[in-house]
Amino acid sequence: MKYFPEVDKVKYEGPQTKNMFAFRQYDPNEVILGKTMKEHLRFSIAYWHTMTQDGADPFGDPVNQRTWFGADPMETARNRVNAFFELLEKLDVEYFCFHDVDIAPAGNSLAEFFANLDEITDLIKEKMAQTGTKLLWNTANMFSHPRYVNGAASTNSAEVYAIAAAQVKKGLDISKKLGGINYVFWGGREGYETLLNTDMQFEQDNIARFFKMAVDYCEKIDHHPQLLLEPKPKEPSKHQYDFDAATTMTFLQKYDLAKDFKLNLEANHATLAGHTFEHELSVARSYNALGSIDANQGGMLLGWDTDEFPTNVYDVTLAMTEVLENGGLAPGGINFDAKVRRSSFAMEDLLLAHIAGMDTFARAFKNAVKLKEDGFFAELKEKRYASFKTELGAKILNDEMDLASLTEYALQNPEPKLASSHIEYVKNRLNDYL
Ligand code: XUL
Ligand code: CO
């Protein structure tokens, strides 16, 4: 316990506290709707942003001050594991997520990479047993290495396709070894730069073929994490095939994969697709495919993925309303796919940023529960669709009407009266809950 000496354990002290290293809103043991907040929220820390992000940006050098660098990459990797589990324990976070490349150095060959992964996952397994933490999901990074310049499962190169397959096989083996609860695919390079040289149908067929191999491999090793696909419309690819929740579900249905996959939805990816986060969650729910959440927020004035820690109570309250309607997220969770701002370069910022995100979700969750208990949205929607409770509405819903009978009704009856939606009043009342 030496990487975060500021605190032994972050505890709930309430909004009046002057202690920076305390929860202001999140009391893990508070029971709401019959479960503790910890059970409801299922927080997870992302290895990449927390352990490997260095604070560089397109105009600036690395700035993050980190104390885990060792004599060689493997020593650094081992130190990172120790620091990561210290952070999980101190924040009382039960779940975590990683890409293969986050935890172990790539070495000089695929075989060396896999050997490094074996050694580091042995250490992670030990740490998990000691701390009682769980692997929410892992994934294969098939977008950083130069070989993936033209995609992984959508690549033009059969050889690259084989390496991607090897990485996923290894990822699923690691998932089995560590008892992974979900397994994520994010198609960072599964898309195109230009259609001038791209056969979209061919590439999508190949991605579906790749996913079927993953489903078959889970069967073969008798390990069944919930498979998740994470939509994002752009960055790094100009166009990514899994543009948003709706597009991704269409793809899964087209290839008969909807039974095998759910969605991992990220707030900032929703923004990039021109949607609110609650829109994406709602679309996923309509397919019974809301799997898990990557929690963050975008800079509303910027067009790229800033992955800020979520602090916007309004947006998160609406997101948590969808989660409540979904009956929670399990076996998914709330994974902070978020990185500290460049000027928050100190080690303790990793604690403070997660505290901020957890407090925001806790507060938003309590808001959402209150809104639900008061029937706030239910009442609005009930009023809005009230005409479908009339004799005519009920007949439509029972599929007892057709164009001819509806025409007869329309001709016989006067023009319907319109009712205002009073949107401004609704928004004013919603503010009372924040
Ligand atoms: C990238 C992103 C990824 C995925 C996992 O924007 O969100 O970190 O969550 O590959
Ligand atoms: Co993500």
Side-chain angles (χ1 to χ4, degrees):
M1 300 277 171
K2 57 183 162 48
Y3 293 97
F4 303 97
E6 294 78 13
V7 63
D8 279 338
K9 189 113 192 164
V10 177
K11 297 205 183 86
Y12 172 73
E13 293 183 9
Q16 316 314 332
T17 186
K18 296 270 188 296
N19 178 4
M20 285 171 91
F21 301 101
F23 293 120
R24 317 172 74 78
Q25 298 287 338
Y26 176 58
D27 180 355
N29 300 316
E30 185 180 344
V31 175
I32 297 178
L33 303 176
K35 274 198 280 182
T36 63
M37 289 254 263
K38 188 172 172 176
E39 288 169 312
H40 278 291
L41 294 170
R42 300 170 65 84
F43 287 132
S44 154
I45 301 186
Y47 212 94
W48 51 105
H49 286 311
T50 301
M51 307 313 294
T52 65
Q53 198 259 127
D54 60 13
D57 72 12
F59 298 92
D61 294 339
V63 61
N64 287 347
Q65 297 168 0
R66 300 295 180 246
T67 55
W68 47 64
F69 288 99
D72 59 67
M74 274 307 271
E75 191 184 314
T76 301
R78 283 188 294 269
N79 292 345
R80 279 189 169 123
V81 172
N82 291 325
F84 189 65
F85 280 87
E86 186 185 327
L87 190 67
L88 286 167
E89 265 206 292
K90 289 190 167 171
L91 286 163
D92 201 3
V93 168
E94 197 173 353
Y95 300 94
F96 63 96
C97 300
F98 61 82
H99 300 83
D100 47 5
V101 304
D102 306 333
I103 59 168
N108 292 313
S109 66
L110 196 59
E112 204 180 313
F113 180 38
F114 286 177
N116 290 344
L117 282 169
D118 289 342
E119 184 182 331
I120 297 296
T121 51
D122 282 347
L123 183 58
I124 289 179
K125 194 174 169 163
E126 248 173 61
K127 286 281 178 186
M128 288 172 73
Q130 279 164 21
T131 56
T133 48
K134 300 180 187 105
L135 177 59
L136 186 67
W137 52 262
N138 61 312
T139 185
N141 175 326
M142 302 184 291
F143 44 88
S144 295
H145 193 284
R147 71 170 77 92
Y148 294 122
V149 63
N150 288 309
S154 65
T155 177
N156 58 320
S157 155
E159 285 83 3
V160 170
Y161 195 92
I163 300 178
Q167 262 187 270
V168 168
K169 177 181 177 294
K170 188 70 184 170
L172 290 168
D173 289 338
I174 288 172
S175 175
K176 178 164 180 163
K177 174 173 174 181
L178 301 180
I181 304 167
N182 303 271
Y183 185 89
V184 161
F185 292 87
W186 170 57
R189 304 267 171 202
E190 315 297 24
Y192 60 78
E193 172 64 29
T194 168
L195 273 180
L196 294 177
N197 65 0
T198 301
D199 184 340
M200 188 148 67
Q201 170 87 54
F202 176 81
E203 293 195 356
Q204 294 205 332
D205 287 353
N206 269 353
I207 298 173
R209 186 171 284 119
F210 192 90
F211 286 158
K212 288 200 171 115
M213 291 184 203
V215 171
D216 289 348
Y217 189 67
C218 287
E219 233 8 271
K220 189 171 163 195
I221 62 173
D222 193 22
H223 173 57
H224 299 278
Q226 173 63 56
L227 301 179
L228 300 170
L229 192 46
E230 182 174 329
K232 184 177 182 180
K234 54 193 168 188
E235 201 207 271
S237 303
K238 184 185 271 182
H239 175 81
Q240 282 175 229
Y241 293 136
D242 303 325
F243 190 93
D244 60 2
T247 315
T248 305
M249 288 314 302
T250 313
F251 167 85
L252 289 172
Q253 288 190 331
K254 177 177 176 187
Y255 292 99
D256 195 25
L257 286 161
K259 59 189 188 320
D260 303 306
F261 281 79
K262 288 192 174 189
L263 302 182
N264 184 41
L265 293 169
E266 178 164 329
N268 205 164
H269 296 179
T271 323
L272 293 179
H275 303 310
T276 61
F277 192 34
E278 64 270 21
H279 167 95
E280 289 294 83
L281 298 173
S282 182
V283 169
R285 278 205 311 113
S286 74
Y287 287 91
N288 189 27
L290 173 49
S292 200
I293 280 182
D294 269 7
N296 59 21
Q297 68 185 29
M300 285 306 138
L301 306 180
L302 302 171
W304 66 90
D305 200 11
T306 56
D307 287 339
E308 297 170 28
F309 273 86
T311 50
N312 185 322
V313 177
Y314 195 105
D315 289 353
V316 182
T317 298
L318 297 181
M320 286 313 291
T321 294
E322 291 295 331
V323 170
L324 267 184
E325 289 303 317
N326 196 57
L329 281 172
I334 294 171
N335 172 51
F336 291 107
D337 193 348
K339 61 182 178 218
V340 288
R341 297 304 84 198
R342 192 163 187 265
S343 49
S344 298
F345 45 71
M347 281 291 277
E348 72 258 25
D349 285 306
L350 295 174
L351 283 166
L352 298 174
H354 283 95
I355 292 171
M358 291 162 81
D359 273 340
T360 302
F361 265 83
R363 183 166 171 177
F365 176 64
K366 287 184 267 188
N367 293 344
V369 169
K370 184 87 177 55
L371 282 158
K372 189 166 173 68
E373 281 172 352
D374 289 359
F376 186 90
F377 297 112
E379 191 186 312
L380 282 170
K381 289 172 193 179
E382 177 146 339
K383 277 198 189 133
R384 183 169 167 82
Y385 302 108
S387 76
F388 282 88
K389 293 256 168 75
T390 62
E391 195 189 334
L392 171 68
K395 278 188 178 164
I396 295 173
L397 296 188
N398 286 331
D399 298 320
E400 287 165 19
M401 300 297 275
D402 58 15
L403 287 186
S405 55
L406 285 169
T407 302
E408 200 185 311
Y409 182 94
L411 288 172
Q412 277 170 10
N413 284 276
E415 183 67 25
K417 276 205 206 96
L418 294 180
S420 169
S421 297
H422 304 310
I423 294 289
E424 295 74 14
Y425 171 69
V426 169
K427 289 186 173 177
N428 196 18
R429 279 196 49 214
L430 176 59
N431 282 346
D432 294 339
Y433 288 84
L434 301 177

